[in-house]
Amino acid sequence: MAHKIGVGVLISGGGTNLQAIIDSSESNRLDARVVFVASDNPGAYGLKRAKKHGIPTFVVDYQAIIKETRGKPLEDLVPKDFDLETVLAKQHVSFPSSDPMKVERYFRTRAIAEAALLREMGAYPFDLLVLAGFMRILTPYFIDRVNTDPSQPRIMNIHPSLLPSFPGSDGYGDTYRYGCKVGGCTVHFVDYGEDTGSIIGQKAFEITPDDTIDTVREKGLKLEWQLYPECIQLLAENRLMV
Ligand code: GRF
């Protein structure tokens, strides 16, 4: 058996991709070991899946942090090493509001949450961080502290569409509503944009006239469960060039 890389997983919900990664790891189809599972959502079912397999878990409750900081000045709450100008210059996510005050507040609250995440993650050394249904955007503050060597990105995400089509929060829904005849899923490295990082792998499926939004999601998810372990294995075998 080859050396196993350590994988940290971030989730927000059901965790079926997490389960596929755990199962591939436990059956030695994947040279990786899940070393922690973290969620922004305390109710995420994926946390229970992790516990069943004896994997350490923790929660950084973004919603609670956003609520607790509402209306408060954030300058004293942001991490000491947070620099707003740097983050604003690097990020390229489009926001519904162009109000600079709102955008600044967004990055400050996220830095507070991300600093908590980084602190907790510090207890579990990892080679790769995998986003598996993690419904939060990671900002340059966080990304730069994980990708300490810019030539070796080490955050992956799975997205429910054939990128670069249909980035955003409802890839399968957007694919189906557009009337596409082919849908798919994509694993990519995470960069400073939303679903814009370089593509590692994709799988596609046909959408027929009988399909509904539910069957499209089912077809897509089944492919995700194959694709994610395959892409992690490529990194474990050092076969990914950037
Ligand atoms: C998947 O469709 C994934 O592509 C998207 O969120 C969903 C998560 O599903 N980002 P699960 O939590 O892994 O079951």
Side-chain angles (χ1 to χ4, degrees):
M1 187 79 228
H3 161 76
K4 289 202 166 205
I5 60 163
V7 175
V9 184
L10 301 187
I11 60 165
S12 296
T16 62
N17 278 290
L18 165 68
Q19 189 69 56
I21 294 165
I22 295 172
D23 292 346
S24 304
S25 159
E26 289 188 347
S27 59
N28 287 332
R29 282 172 286 139
L30 183 57
D31 296 324
R33 198 167 56 88
V34 178
V35 293
F36 71 83
V37 172
S39 175
D40 64 312
N41 164 20
Y45 181 70
L47 292 169
K48 291 206 173 97
R49 294 181 188 272
K51 282 180 192 150
K52 260 191 214 160
H53 291 265
I55 299 166
T57 63
F58 56 88
V59 174
V60 173
D61 189 340
Y62 272 54
Q63 217 177 358
I65 291 171
I66 293 163
K67 211 167 144 194
E68 279 158 21
T69 53
R70 195 162 288 148
K72 291 190 187 151
L74 299 178
E75 286 74 1
D76 292 340
L77 299 174
V78 292
K80 297 274 171 288
D81 59 351
F82 172 75
D83 180 56
L84 181 65
E85 300 312 316
T86 308
V87 167
L88 287 176
K90 287 183 173 178
Q91 67 84 24
H92 52 92
V93 168
S94 40
F95 291 95
S97 165
S98 56
D99 177 351
M101 298 297 281
K102 282 193 181 153
V103 174
E104 285 177 17
R105 211 170 162 88
Y106 172 89
F107 282 107
R108 287 201 168 99
T109 52
R110 290 327 177 264
I112 294 167
E114 290 177 346
L117 205 49
L118 288 163
R119 230 175 1 254
E120 297 271 1
M121 283 164 44
Y124 310 101
F126 61 92
D127 301 292
L128 173 68
L129 184 65
V130 155
L131 313 187
F134 184 64
M135 301 306 281
R136 301 283 176 180
I137 289 170
L138 293 171
T139 77
Y141 174 77
F142 180 93
I143 294 169
D144 288 351
R145 279 155 186 78
V146 174
N147 289 340
T148 44
D149 175 353
S151 70
Q152 285 197 320
R154 51 185 202 131
I155 312 176
M156 279 186 194
N157 181 41
I158 189 151
H159 181 76
S161 78
L162 290 172
L163 290 172
S165 293
F166 309 119
S169 62
D170 190 15
Y172 292 135
D174 292 339
T175 303
Y176 177 71
R177 284 185 294 272
Y178 197 88
C180 295
K181 306 302 175 215
V182 174
C185 50
T186 304
V187 170
H188 63 94
F189 281 120
V190 170
D191 69 1
Y192 301 139
E194 188 176 3
D195 306 321
T196 49
S198 52
I199 290 175
I200 300 163
Q202 293 185 305
K203 285 193 190 288
F205 57 89
E206 196 181 342
I207 301 176
T208 63
D210 296 340
D211 273 316
T212 63
I213 179 60
D214 292 333
T215 60
V216 164
R217 284 213 169 90
E218 262 168 45
K219 286 181 179 179
L221 261 177
K222 275 194 189 142
L223 292 181
E224 291 186 34
W225 303 333
Q226 296 169 20
L227 180 65
Y228 224 164
E230 283 174 17
C231 292
I232 296 170
Q233 183 62 18
L234 287 177
L235 187 125
E237 291 175 7
N238 218 356
R239 285 167 58 201
L240 290 180
M241 312 295 263
V242 203

